[in-house]
Amino acid sequence: MSLHNYWYIATTETAVRKKPQAVCLFGRNYVVFAAENGKIAAMLDCCPHRNVPLSGGKTVNGRLVCPYHGWQFNGDGKLAHIPATPSCCPNVCIPTAHCVVQDGYVWLCIGNPVAEKPLSFPHLGEQGWTTFRMKKLFHAPVAQCLENFLDCPHAVYVHTGWFRSPTRKSTTVKLRWLADGAEAEYLNEPREKSVVWNMLQDSNSQMRHTDRFIAPNTSQVNYIFSDKKHYIITSSCTPISDTETEVHTVISFKYGRLNPLIRLFFEPLSHIIIGQDVAMLKRQHDNIQRFGGKARFYTSQADVLLPAIEAWRKALDENSPPPPAGHEEERELYL
């Protein structure tokens, strides 16, 4: 499956340097650990000797040590040492996954990587920018998480007063299909009755707001203001299973000398807002299970980016050509 050929965040580099980490990707369990020469390695989280999880062990001189009998494995998955016997089993080897460290995260690819490295988070570490990170577990598949992050109408109801409130004002949306996904740009977007707009920017400034889906598992929400303020929210979705997604979100913003003060307000507010999304998608998941476990969705014109998300992910999953770039259209929404 081609979705396996992309990079997904497994854990943080800091956590792996401290001890082996148990992670799950596409329903498969892996252990990620600090291997030889400072490298990070990943292999199936199962000792071939007695099938205990290797993530419960430790690392010694770049080798992963099983907590049951002390069998030691190199970063390439090969058995290196059996403490209880002078000989070894040279043919014993655990399946591994591709592993790379970038932006403070450890990324895994369990197939054949289509790119040498993952997509970088914008403005991370750049001068004048402040960044904070979040990690949340969603009881929803990747496509539903991406739709939620890139869906404006839901914010009027789920985040009432915090991020949006119903105004019933007309908004023009420009939809563009791109070579790596799709983008929606919102024009004349209402900004009344919102804690975010009241606290984070001057309501008299002009705003350019774009929501972008980058196949197969990334969303970007980008706000640029005429007074040179700017913030961008990037979420990378890791498919743990068919119904669970771990979402790593990086929020970077530029407000000049106010950056430290803005963070004191912006970071806890972001946790509140994304927590509301977690709760809503959990309610959605539970109700789908209550009605037999199969989602039955009706899609309207207000679901701007969902068709692109579903088309791209279906094409990659089936190893077929992705949707062509170049299509553009305008829609009218009321927010």
Side-chain angles (χ1 to χ4, degrees):
M1 290 170 54
S2 295
L3 286 173
H4 290 182
N5 297 338
Y6 287 82
W7 294 103
Y8 300 93
I9 295 176
T11 183
T12 63
E13 181 182 8
T14 300
V16 174
R17 297 295 181 190
K18 291 180 180 179
K19 64 177 183 178
Q21 299 292 311
V23 303
C24 189
L25 185 59
F26 290 104
R28 302 179 186 179
N29 295 293
Y30 293 87
V31 56
V32 185
F33 66 101
E36 305 94 329
N37 302 318
K39 296 182 178 180
I40 303 294
M43 62 182 68
L44 289 180
D45 192 13
C46 184
C47 181
H49 180 217
R50 290 295 180 267
N51 298 166
V52 302
L54 291 166
S55 55
K58 60 183 180 180
T59 54
V60 176
N61 297 324
R63 293 176 177 175
L64 181 59
V65 181
C66 177
Y68 195 7
H69 294 93
W71 282 31
Q72 298 181 13
F73 299 89
N74 293 324
D76 58 5
K78 293 181 180 180
L79 177 63
H81 181 57
I82 302 176
T85 177
S87 61
C88 194
C89 303
N91 295 326
V92 175
C93 188
I94 303 174
T96 60
H98 299 280
C99 195
V100 68
V101 177
Q102 181 177 290
D103 295 336
Y105 294 107
V106 177
W107 305 69
L108 297 190
C109 176
I110 64 175
N112 298 312
V114 298
E116 184 179 351
K117 60 181 182 179
L119 185 71
S120 294
F121 288 99
H123 308 296
L124 189 62
E126 288 185 20
Q127 186 175 1
W129 289 79
T130 296
T131 296
F132 59 89
R133 309 177 189 226
M134 297 186 292
K135 182 180 79 170
K136 301 290 183 181
L137 177 65
F138 283 79
H139 291 275
V142 169
Q144 290 174 26
C145 290
L146 291 168
E147 181 205 6
N148 175 267
F149 305 151
L150 299 172
D151 171 54
C152 284
H154 93 277
V156 174
Y157 300 95
V158 178
H159 310 305
T160 303
W162 289 107
F163 190 54
R164 297 186 191 278
S165 292
T167 66
R168 287 294 298 167
K169 289 188 175 181
S170 175
T171 301
T172 299
V173 184
K174 291 186 175 182
L175 174 62
R176 309 178 185 97
W177 290 68
L178 307 175
D180 60 356
E183 178 184 74
E185 181 177 359
Y186 291 81
L187 308 177
N188 304 316
E189 184 177 344
R191 291 183 268 175
E192 299 94 324
K193 304 176 184 179
S194 163
V195 173
V196 170
W197 302 129
N198 289 339
M199 299 296 293
L200 291 181
Q201 56 88 220
D202 180 3
S203 59
N204 294 319
S205 65
Q206 294 182 347
M207 178 180 76
R208 184 172 189 263
H209 167 206
T210 57
D211 288 347
R212 185 180 174 193
F213 160 62
I214 305 172
N217 65 319
T218 302
S219 68
Q220 282 187 353
V221 178
N222 197 9
Y223 290 92
I224 304 174
F225 303 98
S226 59
D227 58 5
K228 298 184 179 180
K229 296 183 177 68
H230 188 179
Y231 69 89
I232 184 168
I233 304 169
T234 304
S235 294
S236 181
C237 299
T238 297
I240 295 176
S241 68
D242 291 339
T243 59
E244 285 188 315
T245 302
E246 189 173 79
V247 178
H248 296 264
T249 300
V250 174
I251 300 180
S252 295
F253 58 93
K254 184 171 62 173
Y255 277 71
R257 289 181 292 181
L258 294 177
N259 276 12
L261 291 176
I262 293 296
R263 179 171 183 170
L264 291 176
F265 166 80
F266 198 8
E267 186 167 3
L269 175 61
S270 298
H271 280 277
I272 290 173
I273 291 174
I274 200 169
Q276 292 173 328
D277 286 329
V278 170
M280 181 56 70
L281 289 187
K282 178 63 163 62
R283 290 170 64 184
Q284 180 192 60
H285 166 81
D286 291 346
N287 211 41
I288 289 172
Q289 298 306 309
R290 194 162 67 103
F291 282 88
K294 184 177 181 180
R296 298 171 180 86
F297 294 146
Y298 178 87
T299 300
S300 76
Q301 287 292 306
D303 303 313
V304 179
L305 287 169
L306 179 60
I309 294 169
E310 292 182 335
W312 264 93
R313 290 183 56 80
K314 184 175 186 293
L316 295 178
D317 192 27
E318 297 177 351
N319 226 353
S320 59
H327 174 73
E328 296 188 13
E329 64 178 271
E330 286 191 5
R331 299 182 186 179
E332 184 180 23
L333 296 186
Y334 292 90
L335 299 176

